[in-house]
Amino acid sequence: MLVSGSYQNSDGYMKLASRINPSATVGPAAPKKARSFRAKLLWEPSDNLKVTAGYNYALVSDTLGGAQYTVKDHIPNPGPNVANNQYGFYTIAYNNDPFQLTIANEAQLKIEWDTPIGTLTSRTGGHWQYNRTSFDFDGGFTDSIFSD
């Protein structure tokens, strides 16, 4: 049996602007969470039969730069947000948490049967995936542009 996995958490490099004091920040604005797991199992019930089963899992919850906009020296705000020019570069503001979430599960099965005339191999697998995105494009604390 083979098993591997990974775990990652990051606050990112963007900061969230304070609603009370636009020149201050209140924490991370673009956190990232990633998890993965992989397992493979080999079973040999006889000398001429091998069964290999595998499973992969992945979770990525990321707030990419394309999902949010800084509001100074970057992409101009199309919405009516008066305080936007007070924020610094790499500082963003949003009402609705922007995120991109993907959860994927995969399963594989391989059966190998050695016969006198050759090896007969059967392979099958499946992939199931869940995606969710949410963007707050206006670059401020107004709800002028939002996508969910």
Side-chain angles (χ1 to χ4, degrees):
M1 179 174 200
L2 299 172
V3 176
S4 65
S6 68
Y7 175 93
Q8 178 186 10
N9 275 350
S10 172
D11 286 339
Y13 61 90
M14 293 188 171
K15 300 297 179 196
L16 182 61
S18 167
R19 288 177 179 268
I20 299 166
N21 179 1
S23 62
T25 59
V26 293
K32 178 180 181 179
K33 178 170 68 170
R35 313 280 185 269
S36 68
F37 172 78
R38 179 178 182 188
K40 195 171 263 195
L41 177 65
L42 172 63
W43 177 47
E44 296 180 351
S46 67
D47 289 341
N48 62 348
L49 185 62
K50 283 195 248 182
V51 178
T52 305
Y55 173 74
N56 298 324
Y57 168 81
L59 177 143
V60 176
S61 178
D62 195 1
T63 307
L64 299 173
Q68 57 194 330
Y69 298 97
T70 58
V71 291
K72 182 179 179 188
D73 301 325
H74 194 44
I75 296 175
N77 175 24
N81 207 326
V82 180
N84 280 347
N85 291 329
Q86 296 175 11
Y87 305 138
F89 196 60
Y90 296 121
T91 301
I92 62 171
Y94 52 74
N95 285 345
N96 304 290
D97 290 341
F99 65 89
Q100 296 177 344
L101 172 67
T102 300
I103 300 172
N105 292 278
E106 295 177 334
Q108 309 90 30
L109 182 66
K110 180 171 81 169
I111 301 172
E112 297 173 281
W113 182 27
D114 290 328
T115 68
I117 59 171
T119 301
L120 179 65
T121 303
S122 172
R123 298 173 193 261
T124 188
H127 177 90
W128 303 270
Q129 185 165 320
Y130 171 80
N131 295 310
R132 174 89 196 273
T133 59
S134 175
F135 302 136
D136 192 347
F137 290 110
D138 63 14
F141 292 122
T142 63
D143 280 328
S144 54
I145 301 174
F146 173 69
S147 169
D148 188 12

